[in-house]
Amino acid sequence: MDVVMGYLDTYVFDGVYNQAAALTSTTPLPRDSLLRQSLSLFVFIYAYIVAFYFGTAGLSYRFIYDKKQESHPKFLPRQKLLEMACASRALPTITLMTVPWIMGQLHGYSMVYKEWSKFGYVYLGVSAVMFILFTDFCIYWVHRLEHHPLVYANCHKLHHKWIVCTPYASHAFHPVDGYLQSLPYHMAVFIFPMHEYVYLALFAFVNVWSVMIHDGEYMASNALVNGAAHHTVHHLYFNYNYGQFTTLFDRLFNTYRKPSQEIYDRSRRNSKTVQAAQAQDIDTALPTLENKKTQ
């Protein structure tokens, strides 16, 4: 992240802070000022995630998302706009809570390193696998605990408002929910070493993946990959498929539910009969699920 901030300071923030100082007749905040670093990180992270969210979700909605899903009985009126509004409210708070983790990286408290050969080139790939498995395990348990009655109603329930998702649902959640599920991505580099560019690439990937598992296009039926079909099962039936990237931990802890063939088959999943049956199943199960979680 220090590489990114170095470029931004040179080409953006130095000019901004100099101009602000000139307008207020004060001394420009130096680059090593904690206040300046915090402000700059907030602006950069917020701008990045907003652009990435609307850009990636927008492209997915335009070119990939099966818009016939919007005729599903559980698709809400104006849902796409509601999802975007929900995400827009959540992202500033999530960004604010994220800044201290990035500050820790900038000040050398993480295990991010710069030299490609420091741990060997094979380790670059090994660390990427470690990142996926570590974050998948952590998010599985964060997500599962968010379904506990003491947590669900006040935190995670908002995200389950979107039973039939569009890509814009990917970041449409309560800010605490979004922050908790993002924590493993920040924690990873404080636990094991990662090259800075590998980490940045994976950080971009996880945001794309979050959109992909909400895009309603089930291109892969791999039993190990927690793709859009598996995550659709979670939104439809709630207590299954808590994982983020794989089905490994759902299988280990008995929360795995295999997507039915009607989910993979576009013509069948868009059938009025199938959608009506899904809606009936949800209406039957939801009161019990909600009561268990909100008592």
Side-chain angles (χ1 to χ4, degrees):
M1 190 62 72
D2 59 335
V3 174
V4 176
M5 294 310 297
Y7 281 113
L8 288 173
D9 275 333
T10 300
Y11 297 107
V12 179
F13 290 125
D14 283 345
V16 169
Y17 289 109
N18 288 337
Q19 185 64 29
L23 291 172
T24 57
S25 300
T26 58
T27 303
L29 290 172
R31 286 190 180 189
D32 60 359
S33 163
L34 294 180
L35 174 60
R36 168 173 167 162
Q37 290 174 358
S38 298
L39 290 172
S40 299
L41 279 173
F42 179 86
V43 171
F44 163 65
I45 296 169
Y46 181 66
Y48 164 82
I49 195 62
V50 167
F52 215 94
Y53 165 65
F54 282 103
T56 307
L59 289 171
S60 178
Y61 182 83
R62 174 68 177 83
F63 296 107
I64 298 175
Y65 179 66
D66 181 4
K67 297 175 183 63
K68 290 183 179 179
Q69 287 287 289
E70 295 180 356
S71 65
H72 196 289
K74 291 300 177 182
F75 192 87
L76 303 176
R78 301 173 59 249
Q79 181 174 311
K80 183 177 70 169
L81 293 176
L82 292 173
E83 290 168 342
M84 287 190 281
C86 180
S88 297
R89 290 191 297 270
L91 291 176
T93 304
I94 295 171
T95 301
L96 187 64
M97 291 189 287
T98 298
V99 166
W101 290 95
I102 311 302
M103 285 287 284
Q105 293 176 33
L106 288 178
H107 288 268
Y109 294 105
S110 75
M111 301 179 74
V112 172
Y113 64 94
K114 297 177 179 294
E115 301 81 9
W116 287 101
S117 60
K118 182 174 182 178
F119 294 97
Y121 291 102
V122 172
Y123 181 75
L124 299 173
V126 171
S127 66
V129 174
M130 290 169 60
F131 178 87
I132 294 298
L133 291 176
F134 171 78
T135 57
D136 198 36
F137 174 80
C138 292
I139 292 171
Y140 171 87
W141 282 109
V142 169
H143 193 178
R144 186 168 177 178
L145 289 170
E146 285 184 333
H147 280 250
H148 188 278
L150 296 176
V151 181
Y152 179 80
N154 295 315
C155 183
H156 192 54
K157 184 177 179 178
L158 177 58
H159 188 62
H160 276 279
K161 180 178 182 178
W162 330 115
I163 294 174
V164 178
C165 300
T166 80
Y168 293 104
S170 60
H171 293 65
F173 31 45
H174 189 285
V176 174
D177 182 3
Y179 174 69
L180 289 175
Q181 294 203 53
S182 73
L183 269 179
Y185 303 135
H186 307 303
M187 291 167 54
V189 292
F190 289 86
I191 296 173
F192 54 86
M194 291 194 72
H195 189 276
E196 58 183 349
Y197 287 123
V198 173
Y199 180 57
L200 287 172
L202 285 168
F203 206 81
F205 164 75
V206 299
N207 281 285
V208 173
W209 186 261
S210 184
V211 172
M212 289 175 64
I213 61 175
H214 292 88
D215 69 9
E217 186 54 58
Y218 315 118
M219 295 180 289
S221 59
N222 188 293
L224 184 61
V225 177
N226 184 62
H230 292 86
H231 199 65
T232 292
V233 168
H234 178 73
H235 275 267
L236 290 173
Y237 304 113
F238 297 90
N239 292 328
Y240 306 94
N241 301 352
Y242 295 107
Q244 184 74 356
F245 303 111
T246 78
T247 63
L248 175 62
F249 301 108
D250 282 294
R251 293 175 185 276
L252 285 174
F253 300 111
N254 299 314
T255 54
Y256 175 71
R257 179 166 175 166
K258 182 180 179 181
S260 62
Q261 284 304 309
E262 65 194 25
I263 288 181
Y264 288 111
D265 186 322
R266 180 179 289 221
S267 61
R268 291 175 66 185
R269 74 169 178 260
N270 289 326
S271 161
K272 297 295 184 184
T273 303
V274 169
Q275 292 182 349
Q278 289 175 340
Q280 185 174 1
D281 288 344
I282 293 165
D283 287 338
T284 301
L286 192 57
T288 302
L289 292 166
E290 295 285 88
N291 287 337
K292 284 182 179 178
K293 294 182 175 71
T294 57
Q295 283 176 350

